[in-house]
Amino acid sequence: MLRTRRSLRHRATPALLLAPGLLLFLVVIVFSALRTFWISLHAWDGFGPMTWVGLSNYAELWGDPQFWVSLRNNVIWLAVFLLAPPMGLAIALLVNQKIRTMRLAKSLFFMPLVLSTVTVGVIFVWFYDPSYGLLALLFHAFGASPPAVLSSDTWVTFAVVFAALWPQVAFCMILFLAGLNTLDEEIIGAGRVDNARGWQMLRHIVLPQLRQVAFIALAISMIGALRSFDIIAVMTSGGPFGSSTNLAYQMYQESLFSYRFGYGAALATVLFAIMMVFIVWYLLRLLRDERSA
Amino acid sequence: MSDVKLTSVQKYYAAFHALRDIDLTIQPGEFVVMVGPSGCGKSTLLKSIAGLSDITSGRIEIAGRDVTRTDPGERGIAMVFQSYALYPHMSVAQNMGFGLKIMKRPRAEIDAAVRAAAEILRITDVLDKKPGQLSGGQRQRVAIGRAITRRPDVFLFDEPLSNLDAALRTQMRVELATLHKRLGATMIYVTHDQVEAMTMADRIVVLRAGRIEQVGAPLELYRNPVNHFVASFLGAPRMNFFEGRLRDLSAGATLEVPGLPEVTIPALAADHGLRPGNRVTLGLRPEHMRIDGRGVTTPATLRLAEELGRESVLYADAGALRTTGSDTGTESVTLLLGAGTPPPEGSTLQIGFDPADAYLFAEDGRTVTAPKSAP
Amino acid sequence: MYPRQIPETRPVARLAYAACVWIVLAVWLLPVFAIMLTALRTLEDVMAGNYWGWPDRINLWGNLVAVFTQTDMLRYFLNSLIITLPSTALVLILSTMTGYVLARHRFPGATLLFATFIAGNFMPQQVFMIPVRDLMVSLGLYDTFGALIIFHVAFQTGFATLFMRNFIAALPNELFQAARAEGASPGQVLVQIVVPLVRPALAALSILLFTFIWNDYFWAIVLTQTDAVKPVTAGLANLRGEWASSWNVISAATLFVAIPPVVMFFLMQRHFVAGLTMGAVKG
Ligand SMILES: Nc1ncnc2c1ncn2[C@@H]1O[C@H](COP(=O)(O)OP(=O)(O)OP(=O)(O)O)[C@@H](O)[C@H]1O
Ligand SMILES: [Mg+2]
């Protein structure tokens, strides 16, 4: 059966609409991600020709103490970021009251999220300053002498992560506030009639309804922890002596400072692999929910 | 010439067979109503005619043109949706004129068509409003108006009145019937509502599980359903069904039904294909049941009487005489009586019927009684 | 609502509750106050170690003048606008088109494509760094606005497509069927039905994109080198090195950098929150 010309046009339009965005995304994003893996199998200074080295970049990673520092720091980031969803939920519960000034308070709680990470970084460098920072002030108040957290290889990563936690908590709070607004009023009412209170109410009636939101908050916090870069660059540049690098930052350093693009690409690939675990977990759940919806 | 002709239409959703070998011819100006249980494929059939879903095989002609592969906009149809599907960002006038605008008709023509349709539907004073500002009945009118302005060969309606309250539904039903007469257009109409089907249709199409069970004039279908399914689907309250066994076929059909004396149904269809010993189902419309002691009778206790003024619906428990597949989900017999005070609840009645009014269905569901003529 | 609301009939309790919330909020925003306070100070004040007391003299204007005249922040600021505004506009256009197709047209591989967009959006940026930088160098775009614009548009199109797809998929199906039955082509449906209906989503998306792109730092330092094209985030980071102890000027510059996203946020707060929760993903 011949389709009319018009009908053909109808079929072609979607393809034409899809093409520009899709092509750009495929070329710049997808192709680049694949190419990174290819580069990781080479030695390359970024200018000259690439030489095939097989898996030796990865072998080198295994023996590189800096790599293990980065990996350990990534684990610390993940662990500390687990705090973001519960803290966000706590603040969301705190401000979810219909009292006159609460709207403004909510907006102000969101604020850290709107600030650029560079801004947050600068603010926290100031906060941690051992001579005049807020932290120092607190220590003085208790008669202790303040530590220079950003120059301590034990504390530096924690200090940076806590700074990054600030906007992340705000983000989780937004998600939970939205979740709290979609709670089924009748189920809450039923819970009240059954005399559920406080913790019981939260545990048995509210949280089950927030499962979807909590999942998203958790997934996004984990992914956010793994991709953190800006704040390390601004606050410590990976220092002191490389003790606060993570895979993302080390990758950047190896490539752009040491001109070891192949090695950098190998680091990026490892990061990619770790991230993929979380992304696949997230995608599978998302698709499952989409199907069942 | 026919206006809509479907030939061997088949439709699959992946492995699910949604339309099975549909053949249907609709004459110009005809008002055809499609009924059937939920999920039987009414909307699918309507969307296939509209071109909103592609059929897997078969052929669709509209006004003599093969439109099987034609885009919906070029089929000469207009569709009215259950949810109205008005464009929320456009005014009523823009909604109604959108189809013509797409056809690149001149402004003046669009305005004239919109105005004319608005006058027919009495919505001229809301032309500048947005759909969100209208009442349910007004939205419904706009949706119909949107269809009218395009002057289609065929109007398709998918349960257009089901979101309205009872009073508005009656009003719109009458208006639609008037509109049909006035425009003389072909209309295909899907509904769940028995009254709409019986009153509006020139012909009713009964669908079940993607298959056409029977097509015919409303009263014809009511009087002579081809099978158990159609008999049970049309008519409210629903027909009473009693299971029994065939005893003898020497004069009519003599059967044994638990709880009844021996019944002999006088006239069977020529090709009934029954044998003594077959399981059969006896069908009796509630209005054919009586309590005056005549015909075949059995004692029963009146469980509940619903007095509706003009008529009463009675539910009676008749011991071993049990209905199957009733509306009420019980085994009581349903009776529909004319005006007059029904007996008190709990009293004992002699319920009965005239065997000439009864239907008999073979085990495979076919109607095996002879066609009944108009009384 | 949960938690249980404090009833109107207990005004004192409501007041006390609000006071508690504001105290928590004050602690929460303490770092911001510190920066604000410092931006008001004079250099002498800072040097004298007065970090937390009231400024001896309000010198906000002086600090801002220093930011504008003695640093390149104003130029960086303009650069950021030149990068952010066109990128945002382009992403809105592209993602409306792709989102519409993904939401309304079935075709083989649609789910895979959808998954690719999500995965790409969550990928650590470092995964693309080397090839993208290489690509921009070979296109002759390295260290130009074009490099940043192209990258941001490509990357954000992933996120924005998901966002638009979800929004468009939630529009009632019958609306689209009605338009098709009236003969509208896919292009006409897009322009006449979809675009007017997704305006709230576009508003929400535009502010999110603006914030994401404005706040980018990583690509700013990977794809640019010279001051002529550097955006504010990179500029601010540099400033910290150059003006190491002039915290009053750095603080003023920090506030300056934060102005556009914060202003956008307060103007379009409803859209911002709706956007984040609708997309539930952050670029
Ligand atoms: N897009 C689809 N994909 C898969 N199956 C579908 C789809 N649309 C409909 N079906 C199935 O096809 C069958 C017929 O659906 P249809 O909507 O035509 O029913 P209907 O008779 O209009 O029902 P109702 O009276 O409830 O509106 C149903 O079983 C339905 O589940
Ligand atoms: Mg239907």
Side-chain angles (χ1 to χ4, degrees):
Chain A
M1 186 81 47
L2 269 176
R3 302 203 194 296
T4 61
R5 272 184 59 193
R6 191 182 160 124
S7 169
L8 199 76
R9 209 178 74 211
H10 282 199
R11 273 156 226 275
T13 317
L16 290 178
L17 291 175
L18 197 55
L22 183 61
L23 276 181
L24 198 60
F25 189 79
L26 287 180
V27 170
V28 179
I29 303 301
V30 178
F31 173 71
S32 291
L34 299 177
R35 187 149 178 255
T36 292
F37 177 66
W38 180 244
I39 293 174
S40 77
L41 304 174
H42 295 79
W44 189 35
D45 63 5
F47 310 100
M50 294 196 271
T51 32
W52 175 266
V53 295
L55 292 175
S56 67
N57 282 325
Y58 294 93
E60 186 183 341
L61 269 185
W62 189 259
D64 180 354
Q66 188 61 47
F67 169 70
W68 294 104
V69 170
S70 298
L71 206 58
R72 186 206 64 193
N73 285 342
N74 267 352
V75 172
I76 293 177
W77 273 86
L78 284 172
V80 176
F81 264 44
L82 284 176
L83 294 175
M87 288 172 71
L89 176 61
I91 300 183
L93 290 174
L94 180 71
V95 295
N96 199 28
Q97 289 277 347
K98 281 209 169 63
I99 301 181
R100 185 126 40 80
T101 54
M102 278 310 113
R103 260 181 63 94
L104 181 61
K106 274 185 225 173
S107 321
L108 290 171
F109 270 110
F110 298 162
M111 186 118 89
L113 188 58
V114 194
L115 301 177
S116 128
T117 328
V118 176
T119 312
V120 174
V122 171
I123 292 177
F124 270 87
V125 168
W126 179 220
F127 180 89
Y128 289 133
D129 188 302
S131 353
Y132 340 93
L134 194 52
L135 191 68
L137 212 67
L138 282 174
F139 271 80
H140 286 307
F142 289 99
S145 65
V149 283
L150 291 183
S151 358
S152 141
D153 49 11
T154 335
W155 294 113
V156 63
T157 296
F158 288 98
V160 176
V161 184
F162 274 104
L165 197 58
W166 192 43
Q168 191 66 34
V169 169
F171 186 43
C172 291
M173 177 189 74
I174 290 196
L175 292 177
F176 280 115
L177 268 179
L180 286 174
N181 280 323
T182 59
L183 289 181
D184 187 327
E185 286 298 318
E186 297 196 344
I187 297 186
I188 300 286
R192 295 235 158 95
V193 170
D194 286 339
N195 213 9
R197 275 164 194 278
W199 168 248
Q200 286 177 323
M201 185 79 173
L202 183 66
R203 165 86 183 67
H204 296 291
I205 303 201
V206 176
L207 283 184
Q209 294 188 62
L210 292 179
R211 267 184 55 188
Q212 179 74 15
V213 177
F215 159 71
I216 292 175
L218 183 65
I220 290 185
S221 297
M222 295 297 94
I223 289 170
L226 283 176
R227 53 195 285 177
S228 53
F229 168 89
D230 296 5
I231 204 160
I232 299 178
V234 171
M235 289 181 73
T236 67
S237 303
F241 309 111
S243 56
S244 64
T245 61
N246 61 4
L247 290 175
Y249 193 80
Q250 192 192 349
M251 179 274 167
Y252 165 81
Q253 262 189 333
E254 292 289 351
S255 315
L256 292 187
F257 292 167
S258 314
Y259 295 101
R260 303 188 61 205
F261 283 79
Y263 194 58
L267 276 160
T269 307
V270 172
L271 180 57
F272 173 87
I274 297 173
M275 185 71 101
M276 222 44 203
V277 174
F278 289 94
I279 292 178
V280 167
W281 170 58
Y282 182 81
L283 273 181
L284 285 181
R285 266 205 63 157
L286 212 66
L287 287 177
R288 205 183 62 200
D289 292 343
E290 182 109 340
R291 292 256 159 74
S292 62
Chain B
M1 197 193 81
S2 67
D3 216 30
V4 177
K5 186 159 187 240
L6 308 179
T7 316
S8 312
V9 168
Q10 307 265 8
K11 163 85 189 169
Y12 285 87
Y13 287 114
F16 179 75
H17 203 168
L19 294 178
R20 297 163 187 256
D21 207 15
I22 302 283
D23 284 299
L24 182 65
T25 305
I26 295 171
Q27 303 303 325
E30 216 180 352
F31 198 114
V32 170
V33 173
M34 298 206 264
V35 294
S38 193
C40 69
K42 303 179 295 290
S43 297
T44 304
L45 184 53
L46 213 60
K47 281 183 197 157
S48 302
I49 297 173
L52 291 172
S53 73
D54 289 332
I55 57 172
T56 312
S57 68
R59 184 180 158 91
I60 300 174
E61 288 163 59
I62 294 177
R65 253 184 340 133
D66 181 344
V67 295
T68 314
R69 302 277 167 219
T70 308
D71 282 313
E74 321 225 304
R75 291 192 179 197
I77 52 99
M79 184 147 173
V80 177
F81 295 86
Q82 179 176 6
S83 64
Y84 316 139
L86 298 176
Y87 310 121
H89 57 290
M90 299 184 194
S91 70
V92 167
Q94 285 168 332
N95 261 288
M96 289 169 61
F98 185 68
L100 296 178
K101 189 174 152 204
I102 292 290
M103 291 185 216
K104 300 211 163 53
R105 290 291 165 71
R107 188 79 237 192
E109 184 191 331
I110 300 180
D111 286 346
V114 168
R115 189 140 284 279
E119 260 154 32
I120 295 177
L121 295 163
R122 292 180 283 122
I123 46 174
T124 39
D125 48 338
V126 297
L127 280 177
D128 294 325
K129 290 195 177 167
K130 293 273 172 71
Q133 301 166 295
L134 304 182
S135 70
Q138 286 172 326
R139 282 180 212 182
Q140 182 56 59
R141 286 201 176 83
V142 176
I144 295 170
R146 191 167 67 176
I148 295 177
T149 49
R150 303 188 63 228
R151 307 197 149 278
D153 295 317
V154 182
F155 284 83
L156 305 172
F157 295 92
D158 195 352
E159 308 197 30
L161 307 187
S162 58
N163 282 341
L164 301 180
D165 64 42
L168 257 178
R169 195 145 64 211
T170 309
Q171 186 190 344
M172 286 305 298
R173 192 177 77 216
V174 174
E175 283 190 22
L176 266 177
T178 317
L179 189 69
H180 175 237
K181 293 214 172 63
R182 173 164 181 176
L183 298 177
T186 310
M187 296 189 172
I188 305 179
Y189 189 102
V190 168
T191 183
H192 266 121
D193 186 310
Q194 295 258 342
V195 183
E196 282 174 27
M198 297 299 286
T199 56
M200 300 171 88
D202 293 322
R203 280 193 302 158
I204 292 180
V205 176
V206 183
L207 284 168
R208 173 165 65 155
R211 214 186 288 279
I212 293 184
E213 293 284 318
Q214 191 173 7
V215 183
L219 284 179
E220 174 60 19
L221 254 57
Y222 187 77
R223 212 172 282 133
N224 289 308
V226 293
N227 56 29
H228 183 290
F229 173 78
V230 176
S232 71
F233 193 79
L234 290 181
R238 184 186 289 213
M239 189 183 274
N240 293 295
F241 294 102
F242 307 102
E243 288 180 354
R245 192 175 288 277
L246 206 55
R247 183 89 148 301
D248 179 35
L249 281 163
S250 49
T254 307
L255 47 148
E256 278 172 358
V257 176
L260 277 183
E262 203 173 76
V263 191
T264 301
I265 311 288
L268 287 190
D271 54 350
H272 60 74
L274 297 173
R275 283 167 197 282
N278 281 170
R279 298 167 67 79
V280 289
T281 305
L282 177 69
L284 281 161
R285 294 230 180 254
E287 64 268 33
H288 292 145
M289 303 295 301
R290 40 171 53 156
I291 52 172
D292 58 5
R294 285 192 285 166
V296 181
T297 63
T298 184
T301 311
L302 182 58
R303 176 213 281 257
L304 177 73
E306 295 174 341
E307 292 193 58
L308 302 172
R310 196 160 22 98
E311 58 199 21
S312 317
V313 182
L314 274 52
Y315 302 95
D317 293 326
L321 180 66
R322 300 200 175 106
T323 60
T324 54
S326 76
D327 270 347
T328 54
T330 65
E331 295 173 336
S332 337
V333 181
T334 311
L335 300 86
L336 183 68
L337 303 182
T341 312
E345 286 171 11
S347 59
T348 304
L349 313 168
Q350 281 292 320
I351 61 171
F353 59 92
D354 175 356
D357 288 333
Y359 297 86
L360 202 58
F361 305 99
E363 206 173 355
D364 60 8
R366 277 177 306 122
T367 307
V368 291
T369 31
K372 299 180 194 303
S373 50
Chain C
M1 261 177 90
Y2 183 85
R4 189 190 290 264
Q5 300 296 298
I6 302 171
E8 304 260 2
T9 49
R10 296 175 54 203
V12 179
R14 286 168 74 89
L15 211 65
Y17 190 89
C20 289
V21 171
W22 281 88
I23 290 170
V24 175
L25 181 62
V27 174
W28 180 247
L29 290 182
L30 213 50
V32 176
F33 293 138
I35 285 284
M36 286 172 143
L37 212 56
T38 311
L40 299 177
R41 293 178 197 285
T42 57
L43 183 60
E44 298 77 54
D45 203 10
V46 175
M47 286 310 195
N50 178 12
Y51 281 82
W52 293 99
W54 191 249
D56 60 350
R57 183 161 64 81
I58 303 291
N59 188 36
L60 177 63
W61 185 244
N63 291 333
L64 283 177
V65 168
V67 169
F68 291 136
T69 57
Q70 295 173 45
T71 73
D72 282 331
M73 285 308 279
L74 201 57
R75 162 144 22 112
Y76 299 143
F77 191 88
L78 288 179
N79 291 346
S80 272
L81 284 178
I82 293 172
I83 295 161
T84 307
L85 293 177
S87 304
T88 304
L90 277 170
V91 176
L92 290 180
I93 294 170
L94 291 182
S95 62
T96 305
M97 300 188 329
T98 48
Y100 163 61
V101 175
L102 282 179
R104 287 290 151 194
H105 295 266
R106 285 166 185 277
F107 54 92
T111 308
L112 180 68
L113 204 62
F114 187 54
T116 313
F117 276 126
I118 300 185
N121 173 56
F122 280 141
M123 217 66 96
Q125 314 261 11
Q126 290 71 28
V127 170
F128 323 117
M129 184 188 94
I130 297 170
V132 166
R133 189 173 179 279
D134 191 40
L135 178 74
M136 296 307 171
V137 169
S138 50
L139 289 176
L141 290 173
Y142 177 74
D143 203 27
T144 66
F145 292 130
L148 281 173
I149 292 175
I150 290 178
F151 178 80
H152 285 312
V153 171
F155 184 71
Q156 299 295 351
T157 293
F159 161 72
T161 296
L162 302 184
F163 188 94
M164 293 310 292
R165 187 210 87 109
N166 289 345
F167 195 89
I168 296 171
L171 295 173
N173 201 10
E174 293 193 338
L175 225 47
F176 292 86
Q177 294 183 336
R180 267 187 80 195
E182 297 200 87
S185 68
Q188 284 169 319
V189 171
L190 178 63
V191 174
Q192 312 236 21
I193 312 288
V194 175
V195 171
L197 290 180
V198 299
R199 260 189 294 205
L202 288 176
L205 188 55
S206 61
I207 157 157
L208 286 185
L209 291 171
F210 182 92
T211 314
F212 294 161
I213 299 175
W214 182 274
N215 288 341
D216 164 69
Y217 173 66
F218 179 69
W219 294 98
I221 59 175
V222 168
L223 293 180
T224 67
Q225 219 167 13
T226 50
D227 284 350
V229 289
K230 244 187 200 116
V232 271
T233 43
L236 180 62
N238 278 3
L239 204 65
R240 217 170 59 74
E242 292 163 18
W243 291 69
S245 53
S246 304
W247 274 104
N248 53 330
V249 176
I250 294 176
S251 301
T254 306
L255 290 185
F256 180 56
V257 171
I259 286 172
V262 170
V263 167
M264 283 277 266
F265 170 69
F266 276 100
L267 285 182
M268 303 177 72
Q269 186 187 342
R270 201 168 44 87
H271 289 305
F272 183 84
V273 173
L276 273 187
T277 45
M278 241 192 289
V281 259
K282 193 164 159 253

